[in-house]
């Protein structure tokens, strides 16, 4: 196990270097000159040269890349080009709201989707399966914007059950006052595909030979579902969860924008609009690192779920 973890950690080094090189090329060669955006209406050769010197864009590309490598190694991406605030402070203040919303949405989604998927898979072909499948298909066919606009208008504006938008300083105030409505809207979008996705895994496992063998041995349906089917079906489910975990840091762009949540999603939109490359590059690197780390954790979880899994 230790050798596997060390080997995977070493494999992350060239992967991260490749991500850094790709990000640098995209922003330096393809992304254009941000100094033109920052100069605005006062664009003169002197102003442009001064801005480029302040941003370090007057250096050669190899020098700029070495600066970027040093920033990644120290996790210090300097200051924002648009607000002049340290990038670390900006991201630190935005991660909390994003995790509050996205984390709550992921937990509630799993608590509903996995048991319901197991239930409809067990009664596959029956009335329950057909009803849930139809509801999921209809829910998936409706745009997220429709849910958000309808939810804000009817549930918040007309009925007054929730605030239309906003965010506070208290975690508990946010969880019980500002999160419920965007959480509900997010679940309306995510539950349908997740239930159908997880259902396919349970259906596949219920058709395996070991299930028929367990029934022949006299095991109850409860034991078969909890001890055998659920354990084996969780491996692809864990894969799906681990792939989504890094993006909890990124937040829900659409939900944060419509509900006025000061999270990473809102920050990404503002950074893109203002060509704030330090913020965008920092978020990209953080997501890449989180993805590699959670992939490693996913493999370790596989081993814990099924000791027969061979780690490579």
């Amino acid at each position: 196990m230790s050798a596997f973890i060390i080997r995977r950690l070493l494999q992350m080094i060239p992967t991260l270097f490749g991500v850094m090189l790709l990000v640098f090329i995209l922003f330096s060669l393809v992304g254009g000159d941000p100094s033109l955006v920052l100069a605005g209406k006062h664009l003169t050769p002197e102003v442009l040269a001064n801005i480029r010197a302040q941003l370090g864009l007057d250096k050669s590309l190899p020098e700029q890349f070495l600066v970027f490598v040093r920033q990644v190694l120290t996790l210090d991406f300097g200051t924002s080009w648009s607000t002049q605030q340290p990038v670390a402070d900006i991201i630190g203040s935005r991660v909390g709201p994003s995790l509050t919303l996205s984390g709550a949405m992921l937990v509630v989604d799993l608590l509903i989707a996995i048991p319901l998927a197991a239930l409809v898979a067990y009664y596959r072909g029956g009335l329950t399966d057909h009803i849930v499948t139809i509801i999921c298909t209809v829910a998936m066919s409706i745009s997220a914007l429709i849910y958000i606009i309808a939810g804000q208008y009817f549930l918040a504006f007309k009925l007054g059950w929730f605030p239309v938008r906003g965010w506070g300083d208290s975690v508990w105030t946010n969880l019980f006052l500002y999160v419920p409505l965007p959480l509900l809207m997010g679940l309306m979008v995510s539950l349908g595909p997740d239930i159908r996705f997880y259902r396919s895994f349970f259906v596949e496992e219920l058709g395996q030979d070991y299930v028929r063998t367990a029934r022949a041995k006299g095991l109850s349906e409860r034991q078969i579902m909890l001890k055998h089917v659920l354990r084996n079906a969780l491996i692809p489910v864990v894969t799906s969860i681990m792939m989504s975990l890094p993006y909890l840091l990124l937040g829900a762009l659409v939900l944060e924008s419509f509900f006025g949540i000061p999270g990473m999603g809102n920050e990404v939109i503002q950074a893109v609009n203002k060509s704030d490359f330090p913020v965008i590059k920092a978020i990209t690197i953080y997501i890449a690192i989180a993805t590699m780390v959670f992939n490693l954790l996913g493999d370790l979880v596989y081993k814990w779920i099924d000791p027969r899994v061979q780690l490579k």
Side-chain angles (χ1 to χ4, degrees):
M1 180 70 72
S2 299
F4 167 76
I5 295 176
I6 294 173
R7 186 169 62 252
R8 286 292 297 273
L9 292 175
L10 292 176
Q11 291 173 354
M12 292 181 185
I13 297 175
T15 303
L16 181 59
F17 181 82
V19 171
M20 291 162 49
L21 185 60
L22 180 60
V23 169
F24 180 78
I25 292 174
L26 288 175
F27 284 103
S28 299
L29 301 181
V30 183
D33 191 347
S35 57
L36 297 175
V37 179
L38 298 177
K41 298 179 180 179
H42 306 288
L43 179 60
T44 64
E46 293 77 14
V47 171
L48 189 61
N50 187 33
I51 293 177
R52 288 180 60 83
Q54 291 178 0
L55 302 181
L57 298 176
D58 57 338
K59 300 178 181 179
S60 65
L61 288 179
E63 289 177 314
Q64 293 182 41
F65 182 67
L66 289 177
V67 171
F68 180 43
V69 171
R70 184 173 67 249
Q71 291 175 340
V72 173
L73 294 179
T74 60
L75 294 181
D76 181 5
F77 293 89
T79 58
S80 165
W81 289 354
S82 61
T83 64
Q84 300 304 311
Q85 291 180 291
V87 174
D89 293 347
I90 294 175
I91 294 178
S93 64
R94 300 291 188 266
V95 167
S98 288
L99 289 179
T100 302
L101 173 60
S102 300
M105 192 158 42
L106 176 64
V107 172
V108 176
D109 182 275
L110 292 176
L111 291 177
I112 297 176
I114 292 179
L116 193 54
L119 178 65
V120 297
Y122 182 75
Y123 293 105
R124 61 192 182 281
L127 181 62
T128 302
D129 185 19
H130 289 310
I131 292 175
V132 173
T133 300
I134 292 173
I135 293 175
C136 290
T137 303
V138 173
M140 293 166 57
S141 304
I142 301 175
S143 170
L145 295 178
I146 300 298
Y147 288 121
I148 293 173
I149 294 172
Q152 286 183 321
Y153 181 75
F154 290 107
L155 300 181
F157 179 71
K158 283 291 188 181
L159 299 177
W161 292 352
F162 309 96
V164 176
R165 54 186 287 127
W167 198 254
D169 296 327
S170 170
V171 175
W172 298 111
T173 300
N174 293 328
L175 276 176
F176 293 104
L177 181 62
Y178 295 112
V179 166
L181 182 57
L183 172 65
L184 178 60
M185 298 301 99
L187 290 176
M188 295 293 288
V189 176
S190 64
L191 274 177
D194 284 348
I195 290 174
R196 296 196 62 180
F197 186 54
Y198 299 152
R199 173 191 174 279
S200 63
F201 300 138
F202 285 106
V203 169
E204 181 179 354
E205 292 301 324
L206 284 169
Q208 298 295 327
D209 292 337
Y210 71 84
V211 173
R212 290 189 288 270
T213 302
R215 286 172 177 157
K217 290 181 177 179
L219 294 180
S220 66
E221 294 297 323
R222 179 186 177 88
Q223 289 177 310
I224 294 174
M225 288 296 297
L226 294 180
K227 291 186 178 181
H228 299 283
V229 174
L230 180 61
R231 190 184 188 101
N232 288 286
L234 276 181
I235 292 180
V237 171
V238 167
T239 302
S240 174
I241 296 172
M242 287 299 175
M243 289 176 62
S244 65
L245 284 179
Y247 296 95
L248 294 183
L249 301 176
L250 190 58
L253 278 73
V254 176
L255 290 175
E256 290 181 8
S257 178
F258 273 85
F259 289 97
I261 299 174
M264 290 291 290
N266 252 336
E267 187 61 35
V268 168
I269 295 175
Q270 295 178 15
V272 171
N273 289 335
K274 298 177 181 178
S275 296
D276 200 340
F277 289 177
V279 175
I280 300 174
K281 288 191 289 188
I283 293 173
T284 304
I285 294 299
Y286 285 139
I287 295 298
I289 294 174
T291 301
M292 291 186 289
V293 171
F294 282 116
N295 280 340
L296 172 59
L297 293 177
D299 289 338
L300 298 179
V301 172
Y302 297 157
K303 186 67 174 179
W304 174 71
I305 294 176
D306 188 355
R308 297 171 298 176
V309 173
Q310 297 296 321
L311 298 178
K312 300 180 180 180

